[in-house]
Amino acid sequence: ELIYGRPFTALEAAAMTTVYCDPAGGKLFKGTASDVRILEDIGFRKVEHHTRHPPIKHRVNSLQHKLYKREILIDEDAAPYISRCLRLQGYADDGKPEKGRPRDGKKGFDHGNDGLGYFVEYEWPISVGETRILQTH
């Protein structure tokens, strides 16, 4: 890839990239380094996350709202995995998004959607009032 008319290294790319991670990424597990610390150690200078998990419905509604308003577009050729996740993740009997492995035994679609949802909800959180409005349409 070229930036400013010259090739850039992986370290330069990492330094320019903001990573949005699961809120659990800032916690330590069994004496190991946190995910945030690991990302910072390999060159990512900006790692963003909430201190606790936002409700799933807020992540889902924030993302659906941005997609509906065409404020976020997904290029199926450039991002085939996230495109597949968005198209195929279903809802469980309790009305929540399915988690884990789908019926075909492949990796669950929730991983890509969760990752995209953390980014969208962090940057463009949706209020409780907006959540109620979205659920009625």
Side-chain angles (χ1 to χ4, degrees), residues 18-65:
T18 300
V19 176
Y20 296 85
C21 69
D22 183 312
K27 295 181 176 37
L28 296 175
F29 295 101
K30 299 180 184 174
T32 62
S34 70
D35 292 347
V36 171
R37 177 55 57 111
I38 292 168
L39 289 165
E40 290 170 342
D41 286 350
I42 61 173
F44 290 98
R45 292 190 186 151
K46 193 167 183 186
V47 181
E48 303 287 353
H49 62 90
H50 288 298
T51 55
R52 56 188 191 142
H53 286 85
I56 293 171
K57 68 181 178 180
H58 287 209
R59 294 195 318 260
V60 169
N61 284 328
S62 293
L63 179 55
Q64 287 180 341
H65 182 70

Side-chain angles (χ1 to χ4, degrees), residues 10 14 38 40-42 49 83 85 89 91 104 106 108 117 123 127 129:
I38 292 168
E40 290 170 342
D41 286 350
I42 61 173
H49 62 90
S83 174
C85 291
Q89 183 179 12
Y91 285 83
D104 67 3
K106 294 183 180 178
E123 287 294 327
S127 72

Side-chain angles (χ1 to χ4, degrees), residues 85-99:
C85 291
L86 287 168
R87 285 185 286 109
L88 298 178
Q89 183 179 12
Y91 285 83
D93 293 336
D94 63 2
K96 293 180 181 174
E98 289 178 335
K99 293 287 190 180

